[in-house]
Amino acid sequence: MILASAPAEAKHFIHKKLIGPPLGLLTIAEAVKNHDVTVFDMKGEYDLIPNAPKPDQMVRELLEKINPDVVGTTVITSELYFGLDILRTAKRFNPKITTIAGGLHTTLCPQDLNIPEVDVLCPGQASFTFRDTINALEAKRPLESVKGILIKKGAKLVPTGTLPFYFDTADKHFLMPDRSHLERWRSTYCVGNNPEPATYLFTSLGCPFSCTFCSIWKEYDRKYLQRRVESVIEELKLIDYKIVRFSDANTIVNIDFIDKLFDRIAEEGIDKHYVMDIRADTASSHPKLIEKLAKGGLKVVITGFESFRDEELKQYNKKSEAKLIKQAIDVFHANDILLRGNYVVPPDYDENDFKALSEYANSHKVTYAGYTILTPMPGTVYYEEVKNRIIDHDYSKYNFFNSVMETKLPIERFYENMGKLWLIKKGTDVI
Ligand code: B12
């Protein structure tokens, strides 16, 4: 909705689609690689062929081609209905197909996937439970024997019991993604006007912070899992993409890790461009480290500024201060890093609040700025705080660009103000 109400000159900067490969699917594909596996990036397919058949037909054509025994899909909140439709289509195509859902929304809100056409849920970092499920199906063992999943029994989703031990999917149980599954869509992984496609790589899973609006630390139950430097180096050497976007919630948590990683990148002569999420407080307290990363190839940084007001940062439990935004901008710009600063706008902003944010953003300009709407994603602390005030339960709108709560301003005016904000930045491209 921000896009619809934005001034014409702002529309270009508001991203209509996010670019990137499905790293989660690549990881689970790796877990079952001794089987016949097809990874299909539907989002990539529409980016490749904008007038491709509608999702239903696209899925049916794929099913006819590969005739699978199992169909699985990733479900994040805004994609829930698409995910359910994929699994419905598969079940109707062939009732013998076992349908499996995984991903963040499956983990945090399993009940939302309780429809007759979904057979199994694999919550959490599910590569090994997925593999066990596939092995059980192949051996015709009852799925009750697989721990850590939910299975459909009658109208109920029944948990099979806790896993025998914890899988550290960043370290001991890390699986190297095989990006060759995605060759077909490679050209679609280009961001903005950059002709080079980008790939994603994680150096960590989870987050040690606990911002009220964020799903990630909830998804990982507060765990923060760090990969080993040599494992990341090995992956970087395998990757034939020039641009690597680190998909961590925060790439710099462990200073020692990132410092060593960039020493090793230099030693190995790995020549790539990196995109990272770095907090403002981290940048302001480690300017030398940022300088080193910039020399090692760090080109773009995404920083969640969230708010220019300390009281709002406190409400969000951001554990950072507004004054650090300026310091962080100076550190990044001093190193020629293209900075994307993101603000979140609560639905109760009035004209004065928008004016104040607009003045602040104008006097703290960054290369790219993003302005999204504070959204109660199911499973978050913020959701619990405001759930009685939610007026729109259509999850397809839970993508930070729609207000699902009542706004203080008339809704059209709210979106108009949101749209105008997107003009406040230095850069001329969109990321
Ligand atoms: C990479 C990424 C993307 C990529 C790829 C998404 C994808 N479909 O895989 C792109 C750029 C396309 C993307 C787009 C969007 N994203 Co995104 N994205 C991420 C990011 C940065 C990393 C995810 C990741 O790769 N993690 C590492 C892998 C290994 O973990 P995983 O994906 O969770 O997969 C594991 C399990 O979940 C499970 N699993 C996953 N899928 C499946 C499937 C099956 C069958 C099984 C069994 C298991 C399973 O097993 C995997 C291996 O252990 C996260 C933030 C973060 N740091 O986590 C946001 C995040 C997931 N994205 C988010 C959002 C909101 C979006 C957008 C809606 C943004 C927008 N405004 O448009 C769009 C949606 C578009 C779409 N169609 O998906 C939110 C989701 C919030 C929520 N509650 O739903 C997150 C958490 C960011 C945030 N800070 O809030 N995103």
Side-chain angles (χ1 to χ4, degrees), residues 170-299:
D171 187 2
K172 204 169 156 204
H173 306 106
F174 173 74
L175 293 170
M176 191 66 79
D178 173 2
R179 290 172 175 78
S180 67
H181 286 292
L182 303 177
E183 264 324 288
R184 176 175 168 80
W185 303 285
R186 190 183 166 96
S187 65
T188 72
Y189 302 139
C190 295
V191 183
N193 287 335
N194 198 324
E196 284 282 351
T199 194
Y200 278 60
L201 172 156
F202 71 82
T203 72
S204 64
L205 294 166
C207 184
F209 293 91
S210 43
C211 300
T212 58
F213 52 75
C214 184
S215 317
I216 298 170
W217 61 276
K218 284 289 206 171
E219 179 189 8
Y220 287 87
D221 207 11
R222 291 179 185 269
K223 288 189 181 69
Y224 179 73
L225 310 173
Q226 175 86 67
R227 275 179 74 187
R228 282 177 303 105
V229 168
E230 287 315 312
S231 161
V232 178
I233 292 291
E234 189 191 338
E235 187 169 358
L236 283 172
K237 283 188 184 166
L238 286 172
I239 287 177
D240 64 342
Y241 287 75
K242 176 84 178 171
I243 305 173
V244 175
R245 159 94 160 89
F246 290 91
S247 66
D248 315 296
N250 276 307
T251 303
I252 308 185
V253 168
N254 181 337
I255 304 291
D256 228 36
F257 168 86
I258 202 79
D259 196 51
K260 284 207 182 87
L261 178 65
F262 272 71
D263 281 342
R264 291 286 296 122
I265 284 176
E267 271 168 33
E268 292 288 339
I270 298 171
D271 179 21
K272 295 196 186 292
H273 293 170
Y274 303 103
V275 182
M276 286 182 190
D277 280 71
I278 301 177
R279 286 170 57 97
D281 54 350
T282 308
S284 71
S285 41
H286 299 283
K288 283 272 162 233
L289 179 66
I290 303 298
E291 192 184 328
K292 174 173 176 171
L293 301 195
K295 285 190 179 133
L298 176 60
K299 297 283 179 210

Side-chain angles (χ1 to χ4, degrees), residues 15-25 27-28 43 71-79 100-105 107-108 122 124-127 130 169 200 202 205 214-216 219-220 245-249 377-378 398-401:
H15 46 241
K16 296 149 198 84
K17 57 181 193 198
L18 275 198
I19 308 296
L23 194 51
L25 284 184
T27 306
I28 64 153
K43 199 193 70 62
V71 171
T73 184
T74 302
V75 181
I76 64 168
T77 307
S78 63
E79 310 301 308
I100 307 186
L104 190 147
H105 196 82
T107 306
L108 294 181
C122 294
Q125 290 300 294
S127 18
F130 182 67
T169 42
Y200 278 60
F202 71 82
L205 294 166
C214 184
S215 317
I216 298 170
E219 179 189 8
Y220 287 87
R245 159 94 160 89
F246 290 91
S247 66
D248 315 296
M377 302 306 266
Y398 284 55
N399 57 11
F400 313 132
F401 284 80

Side-chain angles (χ1 to χ4, degrees), residues 396-410:
S396 63
K397 295 187 186 145
Y398 284 55
N399 57 11
F400 313 132
F401 284 80
N402 301 287
S403 182
V404 298
M405 314 236 312
E406 200 153 352
T407 50
K408 196 172 201 175
L409 287 173

